[in-house]
Amino acid sequence: MKHFYELSSMAERIVDAAESLLQQHGYNGFSYDNIAQAVGIKKPSVHHHFATKSDLVVVTVQRYTHRFREQLLHIEGRHADAIDRLHSYAGLFQATYAANRRICVCGMLGAEIQGLPDDVAAEVARFFSINLEWLADGFKICTAAKQIRACATADALAQNYLCALEGAMVVGRGTSSIQGPQVVGTTFMATIAL
Amino acid sequence: MKHFYELSSMAERIVDAAESLLQQHGYNGFSYDNIAQAVGIKKPSVHHHFATKSDLVVVTVQRYTHRFREQLLHIEGRHADAIDRLHSYAGLFQATYAANRRICVCGMLGAEIQGLPDDVAAEVARFFSINLEWLADGFKICTAAKQIRACATADALAQNYLCALEGAMVVGRGTSSIQGPQVVGTTFMATIAL
DNA sequence: GTCTATATTGTGATAGAC
DNA sequence: GTCTATCACAATATAGAC
């Protein structure tokens, strides 16, 4: 399997298309032909770059997770305060949702997880683990610094925050809401504020 | 379109199968042949009961929503206290998730909403509206009775609670967690407790 | 790398016999 | 109500020419 660092420019465009289609229609909702049309080549040419659909999606999720980690680092660079970092975190989901109500790649794949290839499922689990760990670290700092009320463990708060944001994308879509995950994140942070 | 009240026993079994398949694989993840095998008839016989897939799914969601409302009424009958009612609400999601990690029919369809037939999308929106309204009423009572901290509006709390529970099913699946939405609901209620 | 052509299987849906 | 047979099409994937 190719690493997303060594993708040709066409392979990169294919992954771009796959990411977008995954966010809008899910694993079972797009085909190699959709990809082919999106990037302007024929179906078999897509197979030349990614032999199987599961290959393509694994690489797509790996790149998605990698970029997410870059964003987390970016937040750490911009905000010294843990509360500010956690607040900014919701902005990552908001930015995705604001782009034509796209949802998190792993939120979509999490819903579809039964019937997904094992290697895809493993990447989804990895994405959530990374996020839960990052969030838990943030909530630990807030708790230790007494910046939030001691109402739950850092792990439980991390889980709640992530679930609320992922759920906000799904519910927002279901209700055709223009309002995105940010407001849900803001409410959550308000409920645990001192 | 048939109403779910006047379904023959075979039609009922077909809707049972559709509900289960929707919760596990989503709209794009099951076929009429899957249904046929689940209930032990052939594919064209399924079409005899539900002419199109969108017909079948609309009726399935309508019945699902109806049963959910029955459960809400049941909760109101068992609990006089609004806090208890809201806590019980999470149990509805927990029961679904406990059955082989199934997720909410409308959580799944909400994620897939792009590309779904319009009449299906309308039923999904209706499910969420009903739930948000019921929850908002509960949080209004809690707020008025000063049973919770005044940290957000009742509408915002309702939205947060529903999103957290829907998200918990998706994230739980993605991480192969045995722990379900109940614990997320409990954490949320703890964060707004006095 | 890209293409045409094709294999194979699955899909939603219909016709018409029983 | 159920079946066999079939349609028209879309899916993932491969072979092999250019």
Side-chain angles (χ1 to χ4, degrees), chain B residues 8 15 136 185:
Chain B
S8 67
V15 173

Side-chain angles (χ1 to χ4, degrees), chain B residues 22-36:
Chain B
L22 276 173
Q23 292 179 309
Q24 294 182 273
H25 303 292
Y27 189 92
N28 295 318
F30 81 97
S31 72
Y32 263 48
D33 210 37
N34 298 145
I35 301 270

Side-chain angles (χ1 to χ4, degrees), chain A residues 70-92:
Chain A
E70 287 177 341
Q71 303 267 37
L72 296 180
L73 265 181
H74 189 66
I75 288 175
E76 292 176 35
R78 285 184 92 80
H79 300 285
D81 183 66
I83 293 269
D84 292 342
R85 288 177 181 181
L86 290 167
H87 194 81
S88 282
Y89 180 82
L92 302 182

Side-chain angles (χ1 to χ4, degrees), chain A residues 134-164:
Chain A
W134 190 87
L135 288 171
D137 285 348
F139 283 115
K140 260 171 217 147
I141 292 169
C142 294
T143 302
K146 299 198 190 305
Q147 293 180 291
I148 58 175
R149 296 186 311 113
C151 46
T153 66
D155 284 345
L157 291 173
Q159 189 188 29
N160 247 58
Y161 198 41
L162 177 61
C163 291

Side-chain angles (χ1 to χ4, degrees), chain B residues 105-116:
Chain B
V105 168
C106 292
M108 179 68 85
L109 294 176
E112 290 181 296
I113 206 98
Q114 299 194 29
L116 292 190

Side-chain angles (χ1 to χ4, degrees), chain B residues 18-92:
Chain B
E19 182 178 289
S20 170
L21 286 164
L22 276 173
Q23 292 179 309
Q24 294 182 273
H25 303 292
Y27 189 92
N28 295 318
F30 81 97
S31 72
Y32 263 48
D33 210 37
N34 298 145
I35 301 270
Q37 282 169 10
V39 303
I41 59 178
K42 298 293 178 183
K43 201 166 43 156
S45 306
V46 180
H47 279 284
H48 170 75
H49 294 281
F50 298 95
T52 71
K53 193 177 184 180
S54 113
D55 280 352
L56 170 56
V57 173
V58 164
V59 172
T60 303
V61 178
Q62 284 173 343
R63 194 189 69 171
Y64 182 77
T65 301
H66 182 79
R67 289 186 173 174
F68 222 88
R69 299 182 82 170
E70 288 177 340
Q71 303 268 37
L72 296 179
L73 265 181
H74 188 67
I75 288 175
E76 293 175 35
R78 285 185 92 80
H79 300 286
D81 184 66
I83 293 269
D84 292 342
R85 289 177 179 180
L86 290 167
H87 194 81
S88 282
Y89 180 82
L92 303 182

